[in-house]
């Protein structure tokens, strides 16, 4: 029960590492692909490594490598990068109330590390709240950064020895990881509706070669999930007229979260584990 | 030139991640918005993985000849049943390698 502070920190760091490990491994083929493709498209080793080091993005890196190799205009490259990265606006918004109250250093650091993968591990209602959960997030996100860099460097080194990897079905590793992350979170009807709408629309938009396919599908799906939730609550209220409005509850909870994180209260590890 | 492009790209990816967690940005999220955003993880992650399964080379692929579909179906069932990341990945990847091999023979 009574854990020393040091021990609790160490346990949270370990948990962050092991929660992210499957994702770190799943992006191995993707990272090697990015690194080797850059070399094959005549990037210098420095340029190829600078990509994962400072751009730190999966699909944006791949697409940009092809665009740069094909001498696309700077505007095209930057615009495409922006479109592919625009889903991150949603992550920032979703985590805004938790992250905006952090000290500058943590905020910049976690902002930089806020990938699909870290966001996928941030769905706990108290994620990023309190020092222990921050350690968890930084270790999870940081290990993803290190592994991503490693796989890219491996790709740069293997570079021209590797055959063209683009049609080997390596993307399935990513798909199966996200399946493993999403499916267990489908615990009620609104989330089920969200997932089904996102699934159908993302495929339809992809087939239409719509550039904002991912973000558009996600936004509409979120709205459908939201409407389902409202609908359910309306019907509940007819049954039990004195039922509290759950929307107010969520609001109160998030504002009390902020207070807790400001105090940097240390939480018991059992709470999270 | 490539170096400059990479640096500008880095600025863009960082901005998309950081912008909305910046405290001085005049954005206040109401309860409704917070509820809406609570669906963002399942929505975005699903919109990333589903097209990988169903769209190949820009075309819809719904058939038992599609190893992605076979393995994803098993992975979804495993995830729903066990809720284990490692077990789901294990089953999914084994099925994928096997079905790719068997379908190509």
């Amino acid at each position: 029960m009574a854990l020393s502070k040091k021990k609790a920190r160490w346990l949270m760091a370990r948990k962050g590492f092991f929660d992210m490990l499957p994702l770190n491994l799943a992006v191995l083929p993707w990272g090697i692909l990015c690194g080797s493709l850059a070399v094959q498209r005549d990037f210098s080793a420095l340029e190829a490594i600078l990509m994962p080091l400072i751009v730190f993005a999966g699909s944006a890196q791949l697409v940009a490598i092809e665009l740069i190799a094909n001498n696309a205009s700077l505007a095209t490259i930057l615009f495409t990068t922006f479109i592919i990265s625009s889903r991150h606006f949603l992550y920032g918004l979703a985590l805004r109330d938790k992250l905006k109250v952090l000290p500058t250093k943590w905020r910049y650091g976690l902002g930089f590390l806020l990938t699909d993968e870290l966001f996928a591990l941030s769905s706990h209602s108290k994620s990023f709240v309190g020092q222990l959960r921050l350690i968890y997030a930084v270790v999870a996100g940081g290990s993803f950064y290190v592994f991503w860099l490693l796989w890219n460097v491996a790709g740069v080194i293997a570079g021209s020895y590797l055959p063209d990897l683009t049609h080997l079905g390596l993307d399935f590793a990513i798909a199966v990881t996200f399946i493993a992350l999403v499916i267990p979170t489908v615990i009620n009807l609104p989330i089920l509706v969200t997932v089904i709408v996102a699934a159908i629309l993302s495929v339809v938009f992809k087939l239409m070669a719509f550039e904002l396919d991912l973000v558009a599908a996600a936004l509409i799906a979120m709205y459908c999930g939201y409407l389902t939730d409202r609908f359910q609550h309306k019907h509940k209220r007819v049954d039990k007229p004195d039922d509290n409005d759950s929307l107010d509850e969520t609001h109160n909870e998030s504002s009390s979260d902020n207070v807790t994180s400001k105090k940097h209260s240390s939480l018991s590890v059992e709470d999270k584990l | 030139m490539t170096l400059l492009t990479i640096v500008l790209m880095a600025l863009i990816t960082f901005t998309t991640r950081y912008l909305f967690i910046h405290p001085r940005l005049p954005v206040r999220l109401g309860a409704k918005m917070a509820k809406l955003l609570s669906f963002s993880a399942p929505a975005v992650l699903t919109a990333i993985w589903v097209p990988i399964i169903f769209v190949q080379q820009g075309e819809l692929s719904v058939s038992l000849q599609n190893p992605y579909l076979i393995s994803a179906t098993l992975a979804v069932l495993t995830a729903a049943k066990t809720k284990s990341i490692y077990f789901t990945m294990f089953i999914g990847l084994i099925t994928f390698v096997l079905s790719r091999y068997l379908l190509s023979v």
Side-chain angles (χ1 to χ4, degrees), chain A residues 152-185:
Chain A
N152 270 266
V153 171
V156 171
I157 294 168
S160 34
Y161 301 107
L162 288 171
D164 194 338
L165 294 167
T166 30
H167 296 298
L168 276 183
L170 297 175
D171 43 357
F172 186 74
I174 300 279
V176 77
T177 319
F178 283 7
I179 289 174
L181 287 169
V182 172
I183 300 301
T185 68

PDB file of all heavy atoms in Angstrom, chain A residues 152-185:
ATOM      1  N   ASN A 152      14.002   4.322 -37.857  1.00  0.00           N
ATOM      2  CA  ASN A 152      14.353   5.138 -39.019  1.00  0.00           C
ATOM      3  C   ASN A 152      15.839   5.029 -39.336  1.00  0.00           C
ATOM      4  O   ASN A 152      16.229   4.874 -40.489  1.00  0.00           O
ATOM      5  CB  ASN A 152      13.999   6.605 -38.774  1.00  0.00           C
ATOM      6  CG  ASN A 152      12.590   6.950 -39.213  1.00  0.00           C
ATOM      7  OD1 ASN A 152      12.365   7.416 -40.324  1.00  0.00           O
ATOM      8  ND2 ASN A 152      11.629   6.698 -38.350  1.00  0.00           N
ATOM      9  N   VAL A 153      16.675   5.110 -38.271  1.00  0.00           N
ATOM     10  CA  VAL A 153      18.120   4.999 -38.474  1.00  0.00           C
ATOM     11  C   VAL A 153      18.455   3.631 -39.069  1.00  0.00           C
ATOM     12  O   VAL A 153      19.257   3.525 -39.998  1.00  0.00           O
ATOM     13  CB  VAL A 153      18.881   5.226 -37.143  1.00  0.00           C
ATOM     14  CG1 VAL A 153      20.351   4.904 -37.300  1.00  0.00           C
ATOM     15  CG2 VAL A 153      18.703   6.669 -36.689  1.00  0.00           C
ATOM     16  N   ALA A 154      17.787   2.582 -38.546  1.00  0.00           N
ATOM     17  CA  ALA A 154      18.005   1.244 -39.108  1.00  0.00           C
ATOM     18  C   ALA A 154      17.675   1.243 -40.595  1.00  0.00           C
ATOM     19  O   ALA A 154      18.404   0.667 -41.415  1.00  0.00           O
ATOM     20  CB  ALA A 154      17.145   0.222 -38.370  1.00  0.00           C
ATOM     21  N   GLY A 155      16.587   1.916 -40.960  1.00  0.00           N
ATOM     22  CA  GLY A 155      16.196   1.997 -42.363  1.00  0.00           C
ATOM     23  C   GLY A 155      17.221   2.752 -43.188  1.00  0.00           C
ATOM     24  O   GLY A 155      17.531   2.370 -44.321  1.00  0.00           O
ATOM     25  N   VAL A 156      17.770   3.815 -42.614  1.00  0.00           N
ATOM     26  CA  VAL A 156      18.774   4.610 -43.334  1.00  0.00           C
ATOM     27  C   VAL A 156      20.023   3.763 -43.572  1.00  0.00           C
ATOM     28  O   VAL A 156      20.599   3.780 -44.665  1.00  0.00           O
ATOM     29  CB  VAL A 156      19.139   5.884 -42.530  1.00  0.00           C
ATOM     30  CG1 VAL A 156      20.331   6.590 -43.150  1.00  0.00           C
ATOM     31  CG2 VAL A 156      17.951   6.827 -42.473  1.00  0.00           C
ATOM     32  N   ILE A 157      20.423   2.995 -42.541  1.00  0.00           N
ATOM     33  CA  ILE A 157      21.622   2.163 -42.676  1.00  0.00           C
ATOM     34  C   ILE A 157      21.387   1.035 -43.687  1.00  0.00           C
ATOM     35  O   ILE A 157      22.193   0.797 -44.582  1.00  0.00           O
ATOM     36  CB  ILE A 157      22.030   1.576 -41.304  1.00  0.00           C
ATOM     37  CG1 ILE A 157      22.473   2.719 -40.377  1.00  0.00           C
ATOM     38  CG2 ILE A 157      23.145   0.558 -41.462  1.00  0.00           C
ATOM     39  CD1 ILE A 157      22.627   2.313 -38.937  1.00  0.00           C
ATOM     40  N   ALA A 158      20.245   0.349 -43.517  1.00  0.00           N
ATOM     41  CA  ALA A 158      19.948  -0.751 -44.445  1.00  0.00           C
ATOM     42  C   ALA A 158      19.688  -0.205 -45.844  1.00  0.00           C
ATOM     43  O   ALA A 158      20.027  -0.834 -46.841  1.00  0.00           O
ATOM     44  CB  ALA A 158      18.736  -1.525 -43.951  1.00  0.00           C
ATOM     45  N   GLY A 159      19.106   0.996 -45.861  1.00  0.00           N
ATOM     46  CA  GLY A 159      18.829   1.763 -47.073  1.00  0.00           C
ATOM     47  C   GLY A 159      18.738   1.008 -48.370  1.00  0.00           C
ATOM     48  O   GLY A 159      17.765   0.307 -48.614  1.00  0.00           O
ATOM     49  N   SER A 160      19.757   1.178 -49.177  1.00  0.00           N
ATOM     50  CA  SER A 160      19.662   0.682 -50.542  1.00  0.00           C
ATOM     51  C   SER A 160      19.727  -0.839 -50.634  1.00  0.00           C
ATOM     52  O   SER A 160      19.441  -1.400 -51.676  1.00  0.00           O
ATOM     53  CB  SER A 160      20.773   1.312 -51.377  1.00  0.00           C
ATOM     54  OG  SER A 160      21.910   1.490 -50.583  1.00  0.00           O
ATOM     55  N   TYR A 161      20.110  -1.514 -49.518  1.00  0.00           N
ATOM     56  CA  TYR A 161      20.144  -2.979 -49.592  1.00  0.00           C
ATOM     57  C   TYR A 161      18.754  -3.576 -49.568  1.00  0.00           C
ATOM     58  O   TYR A 161      18.545  -4.708 -49.969  1.00  0.00           O
ATOM     59  CB  TYR A 161      20.954  -3.566 -48.432  1.00  0.00           C
ATOM     60  CG  TYR A 161      22.370  -3.065 -48.403  1.00  0.00           C
ATOM     61  CD1 TYR A 161      22.791  -2.147 -47.453  1.00  0.00           C
ATOM     62  CD2 TYR A 161      23.294  -3.509 -49.360  1.00  0.00           C
ATOM     63  CE1 TYR A 161      24.092  -1.669 -47.444  1.00  0.00           C
ATOM     64  CE2 TYR A 161      24.596  -3.036 -49.355  1.00  0.00           C
ATOM     65  CZ  TYR A 161      24.986  -2.115 -48.394  1.00  0.00           C
ATOM     66  OH  TYR A 161      26.262  -1.640 -48.391  1.00  0.00           O
ATOM     67  N   LEU A 162      17.804  -2.796 -49.035  1.00  0.00           N
ATOM     68  CA  LEU A 162      16.450  -3.312 -48.926  1.00  0.00           C
ATOM     69  C   LEU A 162      15.719  -3.168 -50.254  1.00  0.00           C
ATOM     70  O   LEU A 162      15.909  -2.201 -50.975  1.00  0.00           O
ATOM     71  CB  LEU A 162      15.683  -2.556 -47.844  1.00  0.00           C
ATOM     72  CG  LEU A 162      16.090  -2.837 -46.406  1.00  0.00           C
ATOM     73  CD1 LEU A 162      15.416  -1.859 -45.474  1.00  0.00           C
ATOM     74  CD2 LEU A 162      15.732  -4.260 -46.032  1.00  0.00           C
ATOM     75  N   PRO A 163      14.873  -4.144 -50.582  1.00  0.00           N
ATOM     76  CA  PRO A 163      14.030  -3.988 -51.765  1.00  0.00           C
ATOM     77  C   PRO A 163      12.952  -2.951 -51.490  1.00  0.00           C
ATOM     78  O   PRO A 163      12.824  -2.476 -50.362  1.00  0.00           O
ATOM     79  CB  PRO A 163      13.422  -5.379 -51.931  1.00  0.00           C
ATOM     80  CG  PRO A 163      13.439  -5.962 -50.562  1.00  0.00           C
ATOM     81  CD  PRO A 163      14.637  -5.384 -49.868  1.00  0.00           C
ATOM     82  N   ASP A 164      12.176  -2.597 -52.485  1.00  0.00           N
ATOM     83  CA  ASP A 164      11.083  -1.658 -52.278  1.00  0.00           C
ATOM     84  C   ASP A 164      10.058  -2.290 -51.329  1.00  0.00           C
ATOM     85  O   ASP A 164       9.451  -3.303 -51.625  1.00  0.00           O
ATOM     86  CB  ASP A 164      10.416  -1.326 -53.635  1.00  0.00           C
ATOM     87  CG  ASP A 164       9.507  -0.113 -53.499  1.00  0.00           C
ATOM     88  OD1 ASP A 164       9.085   0.188 -52.363  1.00  0.00           O
ATOM     89  OD2 ASP A 164       9.233   0.535 -54.515  1.00  0.00           O
ATOM     90  N   LEU A 165       9.906  -1.673 -50.155  1.00  0.00           N
ATOM     91  CA  LEU A 165       9.072  -2.281 -49.117  1.00  0.00           C
ATOM     92  C   LEU A 165       7.619  -1.841 -49.179  1.00  0.00           C
ATOM     93  O   LEU A 165       6.815  -2.255 -48.356  1.00  0.00           O
ATOM     94  CB  LEU A 165       9.629  -1.904 -47.737  1.00  0.00           C
ATOM     95  CG  LEU A 165      11.007  -2.447 -47.370  1.00  0.00           C
ATOM     96  CD1 LEU A 165      11.544  -1.735 -46.142  1.00  0.00           C
ATOM     97  CD2 LEU A 165      10.929  -3.931 -47.108  1.00  0.00           C
ATOM     98  N   THR A 166       7.298  -0.986 -50.148  1.00  0.00           N
ATOM     99  CA  THR A 166       5.982  -0.351 -50.080  1.00  0.00           C
ATOM    100  C   THR A 166       4.809  -1.317 -50.304  1.00  0.00           C
ATOM    101  O   THR A 166       3.696  -0.998 -49.935  1.00  0.00           O
ATOM    102  CB  THR A 166       5.883   0.812 -51.084  1.00  0.00           C
ATOM    103  OG1 THR A 166       6.716   0.531 -52.200  1.00  0.00           O
ATOM    104  CG2 THR A 166       6.328   2.100 -50.425  1.00  0.00           C
ATOM    105  N   HIS A 167       5.057  -2.489 -50.897  1.00  0.00           N
ATOM    106  CA  HIS A 167       3.908  -3.369 -51.142  1.00  0.00           C
ATOM    107  C   HIS A 167       4.016  -4.698 -50.407  1.00  0.00           C
ATOM    108  O   HIS A 167       3.574  -5.722 -50.888  1.00  0.00           O
ATOM    109  CB  HIS A 167       3.734  -3.607 -52.647  1.00  0.00           C
ATOM    110  CG  HIS A 167       3.409  -2.357 -53.388  1.00  0.00           C
ATOM    111  ND1 HIS A 167       2.265  -1.639 -53.140  1.00  0.00           N
ATOM    112  CD2 HIS A 167       4.087  -1.663 -54.324  1.00  0.00           C
ATOM    113  CE1 HIS A 167       2.244  -0.571 -53.913  1.00  0.00           C
ATOM    114  NE2 HIS A 167       3.353  -0.553 -54.634  1.00  0.00           N
ATOM    115  N   LEU A 168       4.627  -4.676 -49.249  1.00  0.00           N
ATOM    116  CA  LEU A 168       4.817  -5.931 -48.521  1.00  0.00           C
ATOM    117  C   LEU A 168       3.764  -6.179 -47.454  1.00  0.00           C
ATOM    118  O   LEU A 168       3.847  -7.138 -46.714  1.00  0.00           O
ATOM    119  CB  LEU A 168       6.209  -5.951 -47.876  1.00  0.00           C
ATOM    120  CG  LEU A 168       7.347  -6.411 -48.794  1.00  0.00           C
ATOM    121  CD1 LEU A 168       8.646  -6.459 -48.024  1.00  0.00           C
ATOM    122  CD2 LEU A 168       7.035  -7.776 -49.391  1.00  0.00           C
ATOM    123  N   GLY A 169       2.783  -5.316 -47.357  1.00  0.00           N
ATOM    124  CA  GLY A 169       1.752  -5.528 -46.342  1.00  0.00           C
ATOM    125  C   GLY A 169       2.213  -5.159 -44.945  1.00  0.00           C
ATOM    126  O   GLY A 169       1.696  -5.647 -43.953  1.00  0.00           O
ATOM    127  N   LEU A 170       3.227  -4.278 -44.857  1.00  0.00           N
ATOM    128  CA  LEU A 170       3.757  -3.904 -43.542  1.00  0.00           C
ATOM    129  C   LEU A 170       2.763  -3.068 -42.747  1.00  0.00           C
ATOM    130  O   LEU A 170       2.833  -3.006 -41.528  1.00  0.00           O
ATOM    131  CB  LEU A 170       5.053  -3.113 -43.718  1.00  0.00           C
ATOM    132  CG  LEU A 170       6.176  -3.886 -44.378  1.00  0.00           C
ATOM    133  CD1 LEU A 170       7.361  -2.983 -44.625  1.00  0.00           C
ATOM    134  CD2 LEU A 170       6.578  -5.064 -43.518  1.00  0.00           C
ATOM    135  N   ASP A 171       1.844  -2.443 -43.452  1.00  0.00           N
ATOM    136  CA  ASP A 171       0.885  -1.580 -42.762  1.00  0.00           C
ATOM    137  C   ASP A 171      -0.081  -2.369 -41.882  1.00  0.00           C
ATOM    138  O   ASP A 171      -0.737  -1.806 -41.029  1.00  0.00           O
ATOM    139  CB  ASP A 171       0.117  -0.711 -43.758  1.00  0.00           C
ATOM    140  CG  ASP A 171      -0.309  -1.480 -44.987  1.00  0.00           C
ATOM    141  OD1 ASP A 171       0.043  -2.669 -45.082  1.00  0.00           O
ATOM    142  OD2 ASP A 171      -0.977  -0.902 -45.854  1.00  0.00           O
ATOM    143  N   PHE A 172      -0.137  -3.678 -42.074  1.00  0.00           N
ATOM    144  CA  PHE A 172      -1.057  -4.441 -41.234  1.00  0.00           C
ATOM    145  C   PHE A 172      -0.663  -4.369 -39.757  1.00  0.00           C
ATOM    146  O   PHE A 172      -1.521  -4.403 -38.875  1.00  0.00           O
ATOM    147  CB  PHE A 172      -1.160  -5.904 -41.675  1.00  0.00           C
ATOM    148  CG  PHE A 172      -2.205  -6.657 -40.912  1.00  0.00           C
ATOM    149  CD1 PHE A 172      -3.550  -6.443 -41.156  1.00  0.00           C
ATOM    150  CD2 PHE A 172      -1.854  -7.540 -39.897  1.00  0.00           C
ATOM    151  CE1 PHE A 172      -4.520  -7.083 -40.424  1.00  0.00           C
ATOM    152  CE2 PHE A 172      -2.824  -8.194 -39.152  1.00  0.00           C
ATOM    153  CZ  PHE A 172      -4.160  -7.969 -39.420  1.00  0.00           C
ATOM    154  N   ALA A 173       0.632  -4.253 -39.488  1.00  0.00           N
ATOM    155  CA  ALA A 173       1.094  -4.168 -38.101  1.00  0.00           C
ATOM    156  C   ALA A 173       0.452  -2.979 -37.390  1.00  0.00           C
ATOM    157  O   ALA A 173       0.044  -3.073 -36.235  1.00  0.00           O
ATOM    158  CB  ALA A 173       2.612  -4.065 -38.046  1.00  0.00           C
ATOM    159  N   ILE A 174       0.346  -1.845 -38.089  1.00  0.00           N
ATOM    160  CA  ILE A 174      -0.294  -0.665 -37.521  1.00  0.00           C
ATOM    161  C   ILE A 174      -1.780  -0.926 -37.300  1.00  0.00           C
ATOM    162  O   ILE A 174      -2.338  -0.641 -36.244  1.00  0.00           O
ATOM    163  CB  ILE A 174      -0.158   0.555 -38.477  1.00  0.00           C
ATOM    164  CG1 ILE A 174       1.312   0.884 -38.712  1.00  0.00           C
ATOM    165  CG2 ILE A 174      -0.919   1.743 -37.943  1.00  0.00           C
ATOM    166  CD1 ILE A 174       1.931   1.684 -37.617  1.00  0.00           C
ATOM    167  N   ALA A 175      -2.413  -1.504 -38.336  1.00  0.00           N
ATOM    168  CA  ALA A 175      -3.855  -1.741 -38.251  1.00  0.00           C
ATOM    169  C   ALA A 175      -4.187  -2.625 -37.055  1.00  0.00           C
ATOM    170  O   ALA A 175      -5.082  -2.308 -36.271  1.00  0.00           O
ATOM    171  CB  ALA A 175      -4.363  -2.373 -39.545  1.00  0.00           C
ATOM    172  N   VAL A 176      -3.440  -3.704 -36.876  1.00  0.00           N
ATOM    173  CA  VAL A 176      -3.781  -4.644 -35.805  1.00  0.00           C
ATOM    174  C   VAL A 176      -3.540  -4.002 -34.429  1.00  0.00           C
ATOM    175  O   VAL A 176      -4.296  -4.244 -33.479  1.00  0.00           O
ATOM    176  CB  VAL A 176      -3.018  -5.981 -35.962  1.00  0.00           C
ATOM    177  CG1 VAL A 176      -1.578  -5.880 -35.530  1.00  0.00           C
ATOM    178  CG2 VAL A 176      -3.698  -7.077 -35.140  1.00  0.00           C
ATOM    179  N   THR A 177      -2.549  -3.118 -34.328  1.00  0.00           N
ATOM    180  CA  THR A 177      -2.321  -2.433 -33.053  1.00  0.00           C
ATOM    181  C   THR A 177      -3.495  -1.542 -32.703  1.00  0.00           C
ATOM    182  O   THR A 177      -3.962  -1.498 -31.563  1.00  0.00           O
ATOM    183  CB  THR A 177      -1.075  -1.541 -33.134  1.00  0.00           C
ATOM    184  OG1 THR A 177      -0.074  -2.229 -33.849  1.00  0.00           O
ATOM    185  CG2 THR A 177      -0.554  -1.208 -31.772  1.00  0.00           C
ATOM    186  N   PHE A 178      -3.976  -0.797 -33.705  1.00  0.00           N
ATOM    187  CA  PHE A 178      -5.096   0.102 -33.450  1.00  0.00           C
ATOM    188  C   PHE A 178      -6.372  -0.686 -33.161  1.00  0.00           C
ATOM    189  O   PHE A 178      -7.197  -0.257 -32.355  1.00  0.00           O
ATOM    190  CB  PHE A 178      -5.283   1.081 -34.617  1.00  0.00           C
ATOM    191  CG  PHE A 178      -4.260   2.195 -34.594  1.00  0.00           C
ATOM    192  CD1 PHE A 178      -3.208   2.180 -33.699  1.00  0.00           C
ATOM    193  CD2 PHE A 178      -4.357   3.276 -35.457  1.00  0.00           C
ATOM    194  CE1 PHE A 178      -2.275   3.197 -33.662  1.00  0.00           C
ATOM    195  CE2 PHE A 178      -3.426   4.309 -35.431  1.00  0.00           C
ATOM    196  CZ  PHE A 178      -2.378   4.265 -34.528  1.00  0.00           C
ATOM    197  N   ILE A 179      -6.523  -1.845 -33.807  1.00  0.00           N
ATOM    198  CA  ILE A 179      -7.669  -2.709 -33.483  1.00  0.00           C
ATOM    199  C   ILE A 179      -7.594  -3.086 -32.004  1.00  0.00           C
ATOM    200  O   ILE A 179      -8.567  -2.957 -31.261  1.00  0.00           O
ATOM    201  CB  ILE A 179      -7.654  -3.991 -34.352  1.00  0.00           C
ATOM    202  CG1 ILE A 179      -7.995  -3.649 -35.796  1.00  0.00           C
ATOM    203  CG2 ILE A 179      -8.623  -5.037 -33.800  1.00  0.00           C
ATOM    204  CD1 ILE A 179      -7.873  -4.809 -36.765  1.00  0.00           C
ATOM    205  N   ALA A 180      -6.406  -3.496 -31.574  1.00  0.00           N
ATOM    206  CA  ALA A 180      -6.221  -3.921 -30.182  1.00  0.00           C
ATOM    207  C   ALA A 180      -6.481  -2.779 -29.203  1.00  0.00           C
ATOM    208  O   ALA A 180      -6.897  -2.995 -28.078  1.00  0.00           O
ATOM    209  CB  ALA A 180      -4.813  -4.478 -29.991  1.00  0.00           C
ATOM    210  N   LEU A 181      -6.243  -1.538 -29.644  1.00  0.00           N
ATOM    211  CA  LEU A 181      -6.458  -0.389 -28.762  1.00  0.00           C
ATOM    212  C   LEU A 181      -7.903   0.090 -28.765  1.00  0.00           C
ATOM    213  O   LEU A 181      -8.430   0.509 -27.741  1.00  0.00           O
ATOM    214  CB  LEU A 181      -5.556   0.779 -29.176  1.00  0.00           C
ATOM    215  CG  LEU A 181      -4.080   0.640 -28.846  1.00  0.00           C
ATOM    216  CD1 LEU A 181      -3.289   1.724 -29.551  1.00  0.00           C
ATOM    217  CD2 LEU A 181      -3.868   0.717 -27.349  1.00  0.00           C
ATOM    218  N   VAL A 182      -8.536   0.061 -29.937  1.00  0.00           N
ATOM    219  CA  VAL A 182      -9.876   0.646 -30.052  1.00  0.00           C
ATOM    220  C   VAL A 182     -10.966  -0.299 -29.570  1.00  0.00           C
ATOM    221  O   VAL A 182     -11.834   0.104 -28.792  1.00  0.00           O
ATOM    222  CB  VAL A 182     -10.166   1.073 -31.512  1.00  0.00           C
ATOM    223  CG1 VAL A 182     -11.613   1.488 -31.658  1.00  0.00           C
ATOM    224  CG2 VAL A 182      -9.251   2.205 -31.910  1.00  0.00           C
ATOM    225  N   ILE A 183     -10.940  -1.534 -30.014  1.00  0.00           N
ATOM    226  CA  ILE A 183     -12.057  -2.452 -29.753  1.00  0.00           C
ATOM    227  C   ILE A 183     -12.398  -2.561 -28.254  1.00  0.00           C
ATOM    228  O   ILE A 183     -13.570  -2.462 -27.888  1.00  0.00           O
ATOM    229  CB  ILE A 183     -11.793  -3.850 -30.376  1.00  0.00           C
ATOM    230  CG1 ILE A 183     -11.609  -3.717 -31.889  1.00  0.00           C
ATOM    231  CG2 ILE A 183     -12.923  -4.826 -30.057  1.00  0.00           C
ATOM    232  CD1 ILE A 183     -12.789  -3.122 -32.636  1.00  0.00           C
ATOM    233  N   PRO A 184     -11.405  -2.709 -27.363  1.00  0.00           N
ATOM    234  CA  PRO A 184     -11.778  -2.794 -25.943  1.00  0.00           C
ATOM    235  C   PRO A 184     -12.402  -1.511 -25.381  1.00  0.00           C
ATOM    236  O   PRO A 184     -13.021  -1.560 -24.322  1.00  0.00           O
ATOM    237  CB  PRO A 184     -10.442  -3.085 -25.245  1.00  0.00           C
ATOM    238  CG  PRO A 184      -9.590  -3.685 -26.303  1.00  0.00           C
ATOM    239  CD  PRO A 184      -9.979  -2.984 -27.555  1.00  0.00           C
ATOM    240  N   THR A 185     -12.252  -0.374 -26.064  1.00  0.00           N
ATOM    241  CA  THR A 185     -12.853   0.858 -25.549  1.00  0.00           C
ATOM    242  C   THR A 185     -14.317   1.005 -25.953  1.00  0.00           C
ATOM    243  O   THR A 185     -14.991   1.943 -25.540  1.00  0.00           O
ATOM    244  CB  THR A 185     -12.114   2.127 -26.029  1.00  0.00           C
ATOM    245  OG1 THR A 185     -12.304   2.268 -27.435  1.00  0.00           O
ATOM    246  CG2 THR A 185     -10.628   2.056 -25.724  1.00  0.00           C
TER     247      THR A 185
END
